[in-house]
Amino acid sequence: MEEELRNLSKVWIYALFSISYCYFISSRISKGILRLLSILPVCILFLVLPLFLSSLHFSGSSTLFLSWLANFNLLLFAFDQGPLCPLPSNICRFFCFACFPIKVRQKASPNAITNRKNEPMPEWVFAVKVLVFGVLLHVYEYKDVLPRFVVLALYCLHIYLEVELVLVFVGAVVSTLLGCDIEPVFNEPYLATSLQDFWSRRWNLMVSAVLRSAVHIPVQRFFTRFFRANIAVLVGVMASFLVSGLMHELIYFYAIRLPPTWEVTCFFVLQGVATTSEIVVKRTLRWTPPHRAVSGLAVMAFVSVTGVWLFLPQLLRNNVHERATSECLLVIDFAKRKLFISSS
């Protein structure tokens, strides 16, 4: 554990120096191709750094933060787009905005209508999710006697809870470091009433925002030259899902170090096809949506079933779920030992 923590420290020290170079050197270069060329070596380095980590959680989170978010944000920065423009006031803010899925919450005016999406997660909700996640880790001890569909449902719940809790923790650390409030990364995805609602307004909102700026909008603008605007929007949506699938393949590769099977890409392409079909139906048919309970159940059923079919198999075949559980228990035990040593 100590060796892996040292490797993690080295990776992020390299990342800090690389981001500092972009802040102090690349920002002085005019936007466009020249700034892009100055940033490309950093993007290549960020694709390599997660290979120095063997821990599932450390390599997976570093891939998300460096190989995906930081690279996309730096590519946008090359053309004065994205969260790094205008240039943040100091290197600390530049580093945090480049690497982490955060967005500073704007102070609402007294007369503004409160938007629940921008409200932080209530403490009791966070406590319940932590409790459920802790119970999950111990329920796995009885997975051999549980029905197969129950175990698969638990794995789906595990993925959601772990991703959200990790991003909430990172957000809390960054919020304290910057001295500002940030918007929540998730917006109760289990309450989604449509696939469009789930993927664009509730699930992993900061990653969705990066995909919208780096993929959706450029693709939409390009295809507007050849198709009607409503068709170009659908192409942009499909492109975003495709790129999301490819980036998840990259995360899977760093986790299992095996060639991709493209199942997870198929999962996101399928979600894109279903979401664009939903958009077309809403536009063309005068259709009264069903009750929220019915539509919400249908959305969660579709995402869960297709996830079990295409998203989970590669993880299950390579025992990633068992590694994830073991690492969580190891981290908890490591933290307990450190607290015991410090208290004594």
Side-chain angles (χ1 to χ4, degrees):
M1 186 67 180
E2 288 83 356
E3 179 66 24
E4 187 68 4
L5 287 173
R6 282 194 290 270
N7 290 337
L8 181 67
S9 300
K10 292 177 183 177
V11 164
W12 282 93
I13 288 172
Y14 290 140
L16 178 59
F17 279 114
S18 301
I19 293 294
S20 299
Y21 156 78
C22 294
Y23 180 75
F24 291 110
I25 305 298
S26 297
S27 63
R28 270 50 175 186
I29 301 174
S30 300
K31 67 176 181 179
I33 299 300
L34 289 180
R35 187 189 290 181
L36 175 63
L37 291 176
S38 72
I39 287 173
L40 281 180
V42 174
C43 294
I44 295 172
L45 176 64
F46 284 176
L47 290 173
V48 174
L49 286 178
L51 292 173
F52 292 94
L53 301 169
S54 58
S55 163
L56 176 67
H57 292 88
F58 291 163
S59 64
S61 58
S62 296
T63 305
L64 171 63
F65 297 148
L66 297 177
S67 304
W68 188 345
L69 292 178
N71 274 351
F72 278 42
N73 284 330
L74 288 175
L75 292 175
L76 288 168
F77 172 64
F79 300 95
D80 272 356
Q81 302 292 324
L84 301 179
C85 295
L87 190 70
S89 57
N90 56 62
I91 180 59
C92 182
R93 296 177 73 87
F94 186 87
F95 179 79
C96 292
F97 290 154
C99 297
F100 302 118
I102 61 170
K103 180 180 179 182
V104 176
R105 186 187 304 129
Q106 302 297 324
K107 292 183 179 180
S109 62
N111 298 326
I113 299 175
T114 302
N115 186 355
R116 288 194 62 208
K117 183 183 78 170
N118 297 328
E119 293 180 359
M121 181 189 302
E123 293 182 1
W124 69 269
V125 174
F126 179 76
V128 168
K129 290 181 178 180
V130 172
L131 178 62
V132 172
F133 184 71
V135 171
L136 266 181
L137 296 179
H138 293 286
V139 169
Y140 287 145
E141 298 175 8
Y142 308 97
K143 64 182 180 181
D144 293 334
V145 298
L146 293 173
R148 178 66 173 172
F149 76 91
V150 173
V151 176
L152 292 175
L154 293 177
Y155 288 151
C156 293
L157 181 60
H158 183 153
I159 291 173
Y160 160 61
L161 287 175
E162 185 160 351
V163 171
E164 181 170 22
L165 293 176
V166 167
L167 295 183
V168 166
F169 173 76
V170 171
V173 172
V174 172
S175 176
T176 302
L177 182 64
L178 299 181
C180 62
D181 294 330
I182 62 174
E183 294 186 2
V185 179
F186 286 81
N187 181 29
E188 300 175 326
Y190 42 83
L191 298 181
T193 56
S194 67
L195 289 172
Q196 188 179 9
D197 183 35
F198 181 90
W199 290 113
S200 65
R201 292 186 285 271
R202 293 186 179 275
W203 182 267
N204 213 343
L205 299 176
M206 299 303 109
V207 172
S208 297
V210 171
L211 285 171
R212 189 176 300 113
S213 300
V215 181
H216 185 156
I217 293 176
V219 169
Q220 179 183 334
R221 286 175 178 171
F222 177 79
F223 278 93
T224 302
R225 305 173 184 176
F226 311 102
F227 303 103
R228 297 194 305 272
N230 56 348
I231 300 298
V233 169
L234 300 179
V235 176
V237 172
M238 283 301 305
S240 297
F241 276 101
L242 175 60
V243 171
S244 180
L246 294 175
M247 297 311 298
H248 279 82
E249 294 283 3
L250 185 65
I251 294 174
Y252 275 34
F253 171 75
Y254 287 124
I256 62 180
R257 307 297 164 91
L258 291 174
T261 62
W262 308 113
E263 289 164 296
V264 69
T265 300
C266 291
F267 168 78
F268 281 98
V269 170
L270 178 59
Q271 299 300 314
V273 171
T275 302
T276 53
S277 300
E278 181 184 86
I279 294 172
V280 171
V281 169
K282 289 179 179 178
R283 285 178 178 175
T284 57
L285 300 180
R286 293 184 177 180
W287 171 65
T288 303
H291 189 274
R292 291 178 60 90
V294 176
S295 59
L297 182 61
V299 169
M300 295 312 300
F302 179 79
V303 174
S304 300
V305 170
T306 54
V308 169
W309 175 32
L310 293 170
F311 194 90
L312 287 182
Q314 194 174 359
L315 301 179
L316 299 179
R317 282 196 303 269
N318 296 283
N319 297 318
V320 174
H321 56 299
E322 294 181 0
R323 284 177 55 195
T325 304
S326 299
E327 285 185 11
C328 287
L329 295 174
L330 181 63
V331 169
I332 293 172
D333 182 64
F334 179 79
K336 286 180 179 178
R337 286 191 284 109
K338 289 296 183 181
L339 289 174
F340 176 77
I341 292 174
S342 61
S343 62
S344 59

